[in-house]
């Protein structure tokens, strides 16, 4: 609005046209500012404009140095409007190592089409482009001001097959425009029911980078990664977005913190989202990533090492190698085990050092300093050290000032903690071994001939009573935190030993992930992981009846909202009679729950026998019967993963987080055939009314507010 417009508005209303407040000299200020700018403009015209620095484009284009240096120079421009939280790959050596690792599987994508979201500086884009030589490479990059100078050399190259689209990859309309405008001209949208919908489409490859630091919330999700993966899994099921061309492989960059939700390394981190990924994907493999799982929970070192040794053995068979600089500590330890056992006769055994803690490195450093004499217990009159502190008399009768060395106190603390933790680790190992033995005895008891042999039955009862007495005795020595850890370790072992393959996708990996280093990315505060995702076709049951999938999702929501509780009780709480009606129709569940039933029926007799045995040893003194103890699921309230078992009986329970997609799918099919099932309206009401939106998100992704600090 010009000065005349302001005068008209103010003359009619007596208020400022901008803020609508009573006028106090706005016209005068506006006119003065206008005259001042006009005067400055005339003076600059007469004197000549001062020389400016190079423009933004020239600064980026002419900057000499690495991609990281150029990106830092671009981000330092304060007036540049762009999403500066995005993380980029800036080390070409990392790209080369990844390409070498993926070369065998990338051969099927040669001369394909590439659809890439958020290419950023384009380093990863150019490397994979050189390897595959695609006929079309679409770069969907919305931050043109920041990243277009990096992408321009790729776009302007003679005979370039790159094409830039300033569209956002997180906007679903962008993918619809791809289809409507025929940008991927070599691809054909498949009609519903076409058999090719459920087959691999190796002529198209999807690349994306969803990593942000700090995490960027989007559409109710705590991070862009979770929102996008949720939509990508939905696209696989419904054959929408770019999955309308067939089952398209995806190579996606995420932060190290987020990968534990998508690809959990422990059963504790396996939530609804993990089930969704497992059910819709043939495999999800971590190609490269930082050290560790990225989550807050850790699996016991014994299982981690056994899994790593199996992977190293498979890599040797396939002649897959890893550069020394890209080996994680776990892989180096596994390779060392294989080198010392060339006959593959290694079996995992417990030692006091199989459990690792976050302060192990600190303890090791303090020990070395103490042994070398660089860590005294007291600091004696050193410069800069205050004289206050304990005073002790010297041999000559005088007094000398002593200050206790805090680092030495820390060494004593960590030593004591390590000894206590080692004793607990041994107790946990022994308790898990006893619990495994109990399960084995119960499985043998399921033999129909055992009930006909009275002598064998009595021997079995006595053996089970002794095992339960030992289990209860060991269990009573644990603190609450250790009891919670016991459930985690027990479920992790069961998941790893599940047949025909482990429950977690991480334990089915074909190779160790390449170790990423701080200098590989544009920020050193947060690393990234590259996930290789291959969609899988839906099962015949899902294709044949759309209601099965709706039931599947409702069952997963109900069961995994209570994922640390015993499966049978949780299912029965959803619909009385469901266990008796549905479980026999799902063989995997039927065999697994038969063991729980046998343990429940024998628990009273064996516990009573154990109580009598203990009472006789203590001259008839009264003992509390273990049967009367509450199981953890009844005493823990609504806190699932924080549940503390009230008795040792909880260890051998089959919990909801152990369910596989195949079990859940069979359960959904059986549910739809059940004549006395609750109506769909009742089921929706019961599932949705129990938990609010915040609890729903926690069940899906965990406590992301704590993880990402939002």
């Amino acid at each position: 609005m010009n000065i005349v417009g302001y005068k008209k508005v103010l003359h009619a209303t007596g208020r400022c046209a901008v803020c609508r407040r009573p006028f106090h000299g706005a016209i005068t200020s506006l006119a003065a500012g206008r005259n001042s700018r006009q005067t400055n403009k005339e003076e600059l015209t007469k004197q000549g404009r001062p020389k400016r620095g190079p423009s933004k484009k020239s600064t980026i284009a002419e900057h000499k140095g690495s991609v990281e240096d150029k990106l830092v120079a671009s981000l330092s421009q304060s007036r540049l409007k762009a999403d500066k939280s995005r993380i980029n790959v800036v080390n070409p050596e990392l790209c080369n190592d990844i390409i070498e690792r993926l070369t065998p599987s990338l051969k099927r994508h040669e001369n394909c089409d590439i659809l890439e979201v958020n290419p950023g500086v384009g380093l990863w884009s150019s490397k994979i482009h050189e390897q595959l030589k695609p006929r079309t490479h679409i770069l969907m990059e919305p931050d043109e001001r920041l990243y277009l100078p990096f992408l321009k050399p790729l776009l302007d190259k003679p005979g370039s097959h790159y094409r830039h689209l300033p569209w956002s990859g997180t906007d679903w309309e962008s993918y619809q425009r791809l289809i409507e405008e025929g940008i991927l001209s070599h691809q054909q949208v498949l009609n519903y029911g076409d058999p090719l919908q459920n087959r691999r489409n190796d002529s198209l490859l999807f690349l994306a980078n969803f990593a942000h630091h700090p995490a960027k919330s989007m559409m109710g999700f705590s991070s862009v990664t979770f929102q996008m993966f949720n939509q990508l899994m939905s696209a696989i099921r419904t054959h929408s977005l770019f999955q309308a061309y067939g089952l398209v492989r995806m190579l996606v960059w995420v932060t190290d913190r987020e990968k534990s939700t998508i690809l959990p390394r422990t059963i504790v981190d396996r939530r609804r989202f993990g089930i969704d990924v497992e059910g819709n994907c043939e495999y999800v493999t971590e190609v490269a990533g930082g050290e560790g799982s990225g989550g807050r929970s850790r699996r016991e070192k014994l299982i981690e090492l056994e899994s790593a040794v199996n992977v190293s053995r498979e890599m040797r068979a396939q002649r897959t190698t890893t550069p020394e600089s890209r080996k994680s500590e776990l892989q180096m330890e596994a390779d060392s085990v294989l080198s010392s056992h060339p006959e593959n006769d290694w079996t995992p055994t417990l030692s006091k050092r199989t459990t690792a803690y976050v302060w192990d490195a600190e303890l090791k450093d303090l020990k070395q300093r103490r042994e070398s004499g660089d860590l005294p217990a007291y600091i004696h009159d050193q410069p800069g050290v205050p004289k206050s502190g304990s005073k002790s008399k010297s041999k000559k009768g005088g007094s000398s000032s002593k200050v206790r060395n805090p680092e030495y106190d820390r060494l004593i603390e960590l030593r004591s903690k390590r000894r206590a933790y080692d004793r607990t680790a041994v107790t946990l190992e022994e308790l898990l071994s006893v619990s495994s033995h109990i399960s084995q005895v119960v499985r043998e008891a399921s033999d129909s001939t055992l009930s006909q042999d009275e002598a064998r039955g009595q021997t079995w009862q006595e053996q089970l009573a002794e095992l339960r007495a030992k289990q209860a005795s060991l269990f009573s020595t644990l603190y609450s935190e250790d009891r919670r850890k016991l459930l985690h370790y027990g479920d992790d072992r069961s998941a790893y030993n599940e047949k025909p393959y482990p429950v977690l996708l991480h334990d089915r990996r074909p190779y160790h992930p390449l170790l990423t280093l701080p200098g590989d990315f544009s920020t050193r505060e947060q690393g990234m992981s590259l996930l290789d995702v291959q969609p899988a076709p839906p099962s015949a049951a899902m294709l044949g009846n759309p209601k099965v999938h709706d039931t599947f999702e409702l069952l997963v929501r109900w069961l995994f909202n209570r994922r640390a509780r015993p499966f049978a009780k949780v299912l029965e709480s959803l619909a009385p009679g469901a266990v008796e009606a549905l479980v026999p129709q799902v063989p995997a569940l039927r065999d697994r729950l038969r063991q729980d039933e046998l343990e429940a029926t024998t628990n009273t007799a064996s516990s009573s026998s154990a109580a009598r045995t203990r009472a006789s040893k203590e001259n008839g003194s009264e003992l509390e019967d273990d049967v009367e103890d509450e199981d953890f699921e009844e005493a823990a309230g609504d806190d699932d993963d924080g549940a503390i078992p009230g008795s040792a009986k909880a260890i051998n329970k089959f919990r909801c987080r152990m369910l596989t997609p195949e079990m859940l799918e069979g359960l959904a099919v059986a549910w739809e055939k059940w004549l006395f099932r609750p109506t769909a309206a009742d089921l929706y009401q019961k599932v949705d009314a129990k938990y609010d939106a915040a609890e729903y998100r926690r069940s899906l992704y965990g406590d992301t507010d704590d993880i990402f600090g939002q």
Side-chain angles (χ1 to χ4, degrees):
M1 184 180 294
N2 56 25
I3 189 70
V4 178
Y6 272 105
K7 287 182 178 180
K8 289 182 179 179
V9 173
L10 292 171
H11 179 74
T13 63
R15 294 179 178 271
C16 175
V18 178
C19 63
R20 313 303 298 172
R21 294 179 179 178
F23 168 66
H24 293 292
I27 297 178
T28 305
S29 301
L30 182 64
R34 183 179 180 186
N35 294 335
S36 176
R37 288 193 297 272
Q38 183 67 28
T39 303
N40 293 337
K41 185 176 181 181
E42 294 174 356
E43 291 179 356
L44 288 173
T45 304
K46 295 177 181 179
Q47 300 175 4
R49 293 183 178 272
K51 293 184 178 181
R52 283 182 167 181
S55 63
K56 295 177 184 178
K57 289 186 177 181
S58 62
T59 300
I60 298 171
E62 297 175 3
H63 186 85
K64 302 296 183 182
S66 64
V67 176
E68 183 179 9
D69 296 335
K70 295 179 182 179
L71 184 59
V72 170
S74 303
L75 293 173
S76 64
Q77 301 173 21
S78 58
R79 294 185 179 182
L80 187 62
K81 293 183 179 180
D83 187 354
K84 299 182 181 181
S85 67
R86 284 171 51 183
I87 309 176
N88 289 273
V89 181
V90 296
N91 186 1
E93 293 301 324
L94 174 62
C95 299
N96 294 336
D97 292 338
I98 292 175
I99 295 295
E100 183 179 357
R101 171 60 57 85
L102 292 176
T103 295
S105 63
L106 286 177
K107 288 182 179 179
R108 67 176 191 258
H109 299 290
E110 290 180 353
N111 305 121
C112 68
D113 298 321
I114 296 179
L115 174 62
E116 186 170 5
V117 172
N118 295 340
V121 297
L123 179 61
W124 167 243
S125 311
S126 62
K127 292 293 183 180
I128 202 165
H129 186 98
E130 293 173 5
Q131 177 70 20
L132 297 181
K133 297 178 175 55
R135 53 194 177 187
T136 306
H137 193 152
I138 305 298
L139 302 173
M140 294 177 63
E141 180 51 71
D143 286 343
E144 295 181 85
R145 292 187 177 182
L146 178 58
Y147 293 114
L148 192 56
F150 293 94
L151 302 177
K152 206 158 181 53
L154 303 178
L155 298 169
D156 296 342
K157 189 181 298 184
S160 173
H161 290 221
Y162 291 97
R163 179 177 177 182
H164 173 245
L165 299 176
W167 304 345
S168 173
T170 59
D171 186 358
W172 315 131
E173 293 183 0
S174 301
Y175 300 99
Q176 188 62 32
R177 289 179 63 182
L178 281 173
I179 297 175
E180 293 176 353
E181 298 181 17
I183 293 176
L184 293 171
S185 57
H186 299 96
Q187 302 296 326
Q188 180 180 0
V189 177
L190 303 174
N191 297 323
Y192 180 77
D194 193 322
L196 294 178
Q197 277 188 327
N198 298 317
R199 295 181 184 176
R200 282 184 178 181
N201 181 5
D202 293 334
S203 65
L204 179 62
L205 181 64
F206 178 76
L207 309 178
N209 184 348
F210 300 138
H212 290 75
H213 180 73
K216 182 179 178 181
S217 60
M218 183 178 183
M219 297 176 66
F221 293 84
S222 59
S223 78
V224 174
T225 298
F226 293 157
Q227 194 267 345
M228 286 300 301
F229 257 87
N230 184 66
Q231 189 65 27
L232 291 176
M233 294 302 107
S234 176
I236 294 173
R237 291 192 300 268
T238 59
H239 303 291
S240 58
L241 305 182
F242 56 88
Q243 298 291 347
Y245 302 115
L247 299 178
V248 178
R249 183 183 182 184
M250 301 178 285
L251 296 176
V252 184
W253 288 100
V254 301
T255 64
D256 284 335
R257 287 182 177 179
E258 295 165 335
K259 69 181 177 183
S260 63
T261 300
I262 302 168
L263 189 63
R265 292 192 180 186
T266 173
I267 203 70
V268 180
D269 289 335
R270 188 170 179 259
R271 296 181 171 86
R272 286 191 54 243
F273 192 81
I275 289 292
D276 199 18
V277 171
E278 291 174 22
N280 289 289
C281 299
E282 180 181 336
Y283 63 80
V284 179
T285 305
E286 183 182 359
V287 182
E291 188 84 56
S293 64
R296 293 173 296 171
S297 301
R298 295 292 184 272
R299 191 162 58 169
E300 63 173 319
K301 185 63 177 296
L302 200 66
I303 299 298
E304 278 294 320
L305 184 57
E306 184 178 356
S307 176
V309 168
N310 290 334
V311 174
S312 294
R313 187 180 292 120
E314 180 65 22
M315 289 180 66
R316 286 192 177 186
Q318 299 296 328
R319 297 184 178 181
T320 304
T321 59
T322 302
E324 289 297 325
S325 61
R326 296 292 176 187
K327 286 186 178 181
S328 64
E329 291 184 6
L330 183 62
Q331 181 178 356
M332 288 189 287
E333 189 174 355
D335 291 345
S336 175
V337 169
L338 283 183
S339 299
S340 58
H341 296 79
E343 301 298 328
N344 294 336
D345 57 348
W346 178 82
T347 55
T349 55
L350 179 73
S351 68
K352 288 186 176 182
R353 301 302 173 187
T354 53
T355 304
Y357 303 101
V358 293
W359 35 262
D360 274 349
E362 181 186 2
L363 176 60
K364 182 179 179 181
D365 178 63
L366 292 174
K367 280 184 176 181
Q368 291 176 348
R369 290 174 57 192
R370 178 63 178 172
E371 292 171 358
S372 63
D374 295 335
L375 185 62
Y378 293 93
I379 305 176
H380 297 275
D381 298 333
Q382 292 186 1
V385 177
K387 296 295 182 180
S388 60
S390 62
K391 291 187 177 182
S392 61
K393 292 184 178 181
S394 64
K395 293 181 179 180
K396 296 181 180 181
S399 63
S400 62
S401 177
K402 284 185 178 182
V403 177
R404 184 79 173 182
N405 191 345
E407 290 186 324
Y408 179 77
D409 291 340
R410 177 64 173 168
L411 172 61
I412 299 301
E413 177 191 353
L414 293 182
R415 276 178 175 174
S416 301
K417 184 184 289 188
R418 180 81 227 198
R419 284 193 294 266
Y421 280 25
D422 285 343
R423 287 194 297 269
T424 302
V426 173
T427 303
L428 289 174
E429 167 65 23
E430 191 174 359
L431 220 154
L432 289 170
S433 178
V434 171
S435 301
S436 177
H437 195 182
I438 289 175
S439 299
Q440 182 180 354
V441 171
V442 172
R443 280 196 297 270
E444 293 174 357
S446 62
D447 186 0
S448 58
T449 61
L450 188 62
S451 60
Q452 301 173 4
D453 191 337
E454 185 176 351
R456 288 180 61 196
Q458 186 176 0
T459 303
W460 166 70
Q461 291 284 356
E462 292 175 356
Q463 183 183 8
L464 191 60
E466 291 179 3
L467 289 172
R468 287 198 182 280
K470 185 177 181 180
Q471 184 188 49
S473 175
L474 290 169
F475 185 82
S476 63
T477 64
L478 298 176
Y479 294 105
S480 356
E481 184 62 32
D482 297 325
R483 294 182 180 186
R484 183 185 294 114
K485 190 184 298 182
L486 178 66
L487 294 184
H488 296 173
Y489 285 2
D491 284 354
D492 275 328
R493 289 193 177 193
S494 298
Y496 181 74
N497 295 320
E498 189 73 21
K499 302 301 180 185
Y501 44 76
V503 173
L504 298 178
L505 290 176
H506 171 71
D507 290 323
R508 309 178 212 167
R509 63 193 185 279
Y511 45 73
H512 293 288
L514 299 168
L515 179 65
T516 57
L517 305 172
D520 292 334
F521 309 111
S522 56
T523 175
R524 298 176 183 269
E525 300 173 0
Q526 178 60 259
M528 288 199 298
S529 297
L530 179 63
L531 301 183
D532 185 0
V533 183
Q534 176 60 57
S539 63
M542 292 288 191
L543 288 173
N545 187 356
K547 292 183 179 179
V548 171
H549 183 266
D550 297 336
T551 304
F552 177 90
E553 288 193 336
L554 288 172
L555 289 174
V556 169
R557 185 183 303 181
W558 180 265
L559 294 169
F560 274 79
N561 278 345
R562 303 153 181 84
R563 58 190 172 275
R565 316 292 177 86
F567 163 73
K569 288 190 176 183
V570 175
L571 182 61
E572 198 69 13
S573 67
L574 177 62
V579 173
E580 183 180 357
L582 305 181
V583 170
Q585 302 182 48
V586 186
L589 278 174
R590 180 186 61 215
D591 298 340
R592 188 61 183 81
L593 288 188
R594 183 182 298 168
Q595 179 179 334
D596 282 3
E597 292 174 2
L598 285 169
E599 290 189 15
T601 56
T602 60
N603 198 29
T604 303
S606 61
S607 298
S608 300
S609 175
R612 287 194 298 271
T613 302
R614 295 193 302 269
S616 63
K617 291 182 180 180
E618 299 187 12
N619 298 323
S621 58
E622 292 186 2
L623 294 174
E624 182 180 358
D625 193 354
D626 186 51
V627 180
E628 298 300 324
D629 293 339
E630 287 187 332
D631 291 344
F632 79 97
E633 67 275 7
E634 299 173 50
D638 290 333
D639 187 9
D640 278 334
D641 284 335
I644 301 173
S647 73
K649 295 179 296 181
I651 304 172
N652 297 85
K653 301 273 186 174
F654 180 73
R655 280 169 279 280
C656 295
R657 60 191 178 195
M658 296 291 297
L659 290 165
T660 64
E662 293 78 15
M663 292 178 180
L664 290 163
E665 183 181 309
L667 200 61
V669 173
W671 182 282
E672 288 300 317
K673 296 179 180 178
W674 187 23
L675 296 178
F676 301 101
R677 68 181 183 274
T679 63
D682 292 340
L683 187 60
Y684 272 100
Q685 183 179 7
K686 187 165 187 177
V687 172
D688 289 337
K690 183 66 177 177
Y691 288 86
D692 57 13
E695 179 64 27
Y696 171 79
R697 285 194 295 272
R698 280 195 296 272
S699 70
L700 186 60
Y701 303 108
D703 298 325
T704 52
D705 291 345
D706 294 338
I707 296 177
F708 299 109
Q710 295 180 352

